[in-house]
Amino acid sequence: MEIENKVFVITGAAQGLGKTFAQDLAARNARLALVDVNKEALEQVVDTCSKSDIEARSYQVNVADESEVEALFNQVSKDFGTVDVLINNAGITRDGLIARIKDGEIRKMSLANWQAVIDVNLTGSFLCGREFFVKLLEQKKSGVCINISSISRSGNQGQSNYTATKAGVAEMTVTWAKEMARHGIRVGAIAPGYINTEMVAAIREDVKQKIIEQIPTRRLGDPSEISHSVFYILENDYFTGRIIECDGGLRI
Ligand code: CAA
């Protein structure tokens, strides 16, 4: 797929990988519908992207809310006239061991922290993917959906909730690719390793250092290295139903 002038919906675009995708796609003359719950930070990303003389708009939406997501895709189609690509990127962490005992006291992952991550990462990806496909089917056109999974999908200490969602996102990718291929729609995913974003910066310093020591490249990834994987999926018309692992060689 050619990137220039295509309409991209990017969720979680106010920070982290989503923000980098927006800026890198703006530089390639894409048209951007940027989605996040954090309106203020999102407006700043829109301002930066608009400097590239491209059309960028902000949408304050909770991806876990069905009616908000339905309204989002209706509004984007109205504002831009069409939609071509979804980058299903919005995600949160609420890390904690499933159960632990410290100084004789039991601590466990709360149901609220389980549910919050399931709602945004898994239900949010499902709802955005579904509404994106509905729009493409209505308009009888092809398109590309890129899901952001994670190296954590294989099972990561402290991430029962996040791991469950990222494994779910990876396998939904395969399902959607099979279902949508007949309509000329491709679905791919990226499983980034530890990338230099706010999410990784939030890990306790001693734990983060331990993790970096295990990465064969001995460094965090740069967000632009994940944009590179986005471009690969967009530009390779034979790529669907598969997951690019971009993680510096780390296995967890
Ligand atoms: N890798 C290696 N060791 C880890 C680890 C990890 N991912 N997570 C925890 N540990 C180790 C700790 O160093 C500690 O080891 P010792 O007992 O030898 O000291 C042990 O497991 C228990 O952990 P804590 O003492 O830290 O327990 P805690 O209850 O205070 O904190 C925690 C638990 C909040 C999960 C904390 O360990 C932590 O933040 N771990 C990192 C989890 C992680 O990797 N999150 C990724 C966030 S970024 C992201 O999610 C993006 C992405 O897609 C990769």
Side-chain angles (χ1 to χ4, degrees):
M1 171 188 271
E2 292 283 336
I3 294 170
E4 193 165 347
N5 292 324
K6 293 292 189 312
V7 177
F8 284 70
V9 177
I10 306 175
T11 66
Q15 63 285 301
L17 289 180
K19 177 179 171 180
T20 300
F21 297 155
Q23 290 168 342
D24 291 348
L25 286 160
R28 300 276 293 261
N29 294 324
R31 302 164 73 204
L32 303 175
L34 304 181
V35 181
D36 209 291
V37 280
N38 184 347
K39 192 172 190 312
E40 215 172 288
L42 189 61
E43 293 294 355
Q44 284 175 17
V45 179
V46 166
D47 283 351
T48 338
C49 291
S50 302
K51 289 198 179 106
S52 305
D53 271 349
I54 54 109
E55 190 179 358
R57 292 170 187 261
S58 67
Y59 300 85
Q60 188 183 23
V61 167
N62 172 8
V63 294
D65 185 302
E66 184 174 32
S67 54
E68 284 189 37
V69 174
E70 287 170 346
L72 165 70
F73 280 87
N74 287 333
Q75 193 60 46
V76 169
S77 301
K78 219 183 207 176
D79 292 343
F80 288 85
T82 188
V83 57
D84 298 286
V85 179
L86 166 66
I87 306 185
N88 233 339
N89 165 75
I92 60 169
T93 53
R94 295 285 184 275
D95 290 355
L97 302 176
I98 181 83
R100 72 168 300 189
I101 186 158
K102 195 173 187 185
D103 305 327
E105 198 189 320
I106 291 282
R107 277 172 29 197
K108 54 189 181 181
M109 177 180 282
S110 69
L111 181 60
N113 280 350
W114 165 265
Q115 197 62 52
V117 175
I118 298 288
D119 287 349
V120 175
N121 301 13
L122 189 60
T123 307
S125 296
F126 161 73
L127 289 172
C128 291
R130 187 188 70 181
E131 293 311 305
F132 172 65
F133 297 136
V134 165
K135 283 288 158 256
L136 293 183
L137 295 183
E138 280 174 0
Q139 294 170 19
K140 295 190 175 40
K141 59 179 293 195
S142 59
V144 179
C145 172
I146 301 178
N147 293 328
I148 304 301
S149 179
S150 165
I151 189 169
S152 297
R153 78 187 193 283
S154 309
N156 191 22
Q157 292 183 73
Q159 295 201 293
S160 300
N161 44 9
Y162 190 81
T163 289
T165 64
K166 294 301 182 178
V169 162
E171 301 317 319
M172 281 199 302
T173 302
V174 181
T175 303
W176 295 351
K178 287 176 176 169
E179 293 183 9
M180 291 296 138
R182 77 195 66 176
H183 304 292
I185 299 168
R186 295 189 294 110
V187 187
I190 304 166
Y194 284 82
I195 309 301
N196 199 0
T197 61
E198 295 87 336
M199 197 179 257
V200 168
I203 302 173
R204 222 176 56 213
E205 198 50 39
D206 59 313
V207 178
K208 192 165 66 189
Q209 285 315 318
K210 248 180 162 177
I211 293 168
I212 292 173
E213 279 165 27
Q214 294 167 35
I215 306 174
T217 53
R218 294 288 187 277
R219 68 168 176 90
L220 300 176
D222 189 83
S224 66
E225 290 166 326
I226 306 303
S227 281
H228 195 268
S229 301
V230 166
F231 292 139
Y232 174 81
I233 294 177
L234 292 170
E235 289 173 346
N236 188 331
D237 288 329
Y238 198 54
F239 189 91
T240 197
R242 295 291 175 264
I243 296 151
I244 296 178
E245 300 179 324
C246 188
D247 50 26
L250 178 65
R251 280 290 167 275
I252 58 173

